[in-house]
Amino acid sequence: MQYDFDTILDRKHTNSEKWAVKDGELPMTTADMDFKTAPEIMAAMKKKIDQGAFGYEYPSLEYFQAVAEWYAKEHHAAAETDWMRFATGVIPAITASVHHFSHEGDNVLLMEPVYNTFYNSIINSGRHVIASQQLYDRDQHTYHVDWYDLEDKLANPLTTLMILCNPHNPTGYVWTKDELTHILSLAKRHGVIVISDEIHGDLVLEGPDYTPTFSLPTEITSNLITLVSTSKTFNLAALHSATGIVPNPILRERFDRAINKYEVAEPNLLAIPGAIAAYQQGGDWLHQLKQYVLGNKHYIADFIKQHQPEMHLVPGTATYLLWIDTSEITADSQKLAEFIRQDSGLIINPGTYYHGNGAGFIRINIAYPRKQIEDAMQRLLKSVKDFKK
């Protein structure tokens, strides 16, 4: 079956957070996709609605089996169903874990620049962010781990947790198995629990697949909580469903207590049937989606190379988010993003949202029909020219 990714959706006035904008504006910000999800998923949800009874739900064994079978098939990674716990989203599970596994005043380690909502989970919980800066090579436009600094921050007695983003948002970097092994080994050496957000793991567009952290050797996963979800993969963020995969039974019991204590362990009406349909029937849709988004990425790369050579794409291979170096135009991406919105109505994320050395970067969501991508590039071209004037 050939799926449709070319039809432009009218998402204004639909309670879409991303599309709560002025007429004529084009938001390429919040990480959801402007494509309809797989029809197989919609059919499963409609069937559930047709039952007409909307009481309390629980995650079934079929749900956990669907997760396990998906990771075995798509990523050649084995996870036992009894390792799994349902949660109402990756961020709710992270926030509950920060509360439960650390104390006020503790440090939670991040590798900057990184997904901005992690900071809410940490700071709103009364904990401190401690950051290890990824080293940026301005000639190759690539990032590298500062291993000395990372271990130094892990060794800090007040560092009790680390939040890892695998693959990485916003850079799109797919950590190698060796890198993940080293990170988890360092964390274990220093008694730090690692929470790995793998919400973008299904969205590796090209090159080697990502390594699910739960698939690494058991001697380094005893302090690991892996969080996965269908939300980014299948454009199902509003279903509020995720799975915690915790190989260590003692840590799993503590994680189970955390998500129940903070009431983020019960599914809504559509979370279970939607996720089961995604994992069991959504593979073909996803494979076509990734080819389409990769085509968008190649289009943008060629456009920028031809018309905007002062910009440089950071060569990440995962996610539908592009991280673009704009430092040759301005070191103040916040000012640039504000100008672009006023000038052409194109809305993008300034790199300052992601902390660290993000001030000279912008992030663009490219999960849109090609016509909107073409429109966005014309707006970007006009606005950068006007900004430089």
Side-chain angles (χ1 to χ4, degrees), residues 280-354:
Q280 291 183 344
Q281 303 175 58
D284 289 345
W285 181 92
L286 175 62
H287 300 154
Q288 291 183 36
L289 166 87
K290 291 198 290 186
Q291 287 303 306
Y292 191 93
V293 174
L294 181 60
N296 283 350
K297 180 180 177 181
H298 288 162
Y299 174 87
I300 292 172
D302 292 342
F303 185 94
I304 288 177
K305 184 176 181 180
Q306 180 178 353
H307 299 289
Q308 237 6 296
E310 293 168 297
M311 290 185 172
H312 304 282
L313 266 62
V314 172
T317 58
T319 84
Y320 49 75
L321 307 165
L322 292 187
W323 188 240
I324 302 175
D325 184 342
T326 58
S327 59
E328 290 182 22
I329 298 169
T330 178
D332 188 348
S333 60
Q334 179 74 42
K335 181 178 179 181
L336 177 62
E338 291 172 355
F339 180 88
I340 291 172
R341 181 172 186 174
Q342 292 297 322
D343 184 70
S344 68
L346 176 64
I347 310 174
I348 54 179
N349 291 130
T352 49
Y353 285 4
Y354 311 99

Side-chain angles (χ1 to χ4, degrees), residues 253-291:
E253 180 64 27
R254 296 177 66 196
F255 175 73
D256 188 62
R257 188 175 303 172
I259 58 176
N260 279 281
K261 177 180 179 180
Y262 293 99
E263 301 294 350
V264 294
E266 296 180 358
N268 66 54
L269 174 73
L270 300 177
I272 300 304
I276 290 173
Y279 284 135
Q280 291 183 344
Q281 303 175 58
D284 289 345
W285 181 92
L286 175 62
H287 300 154
Q288 291 183 36
L289 166 87
K290 291 198 290 186
Q291 287 303 306

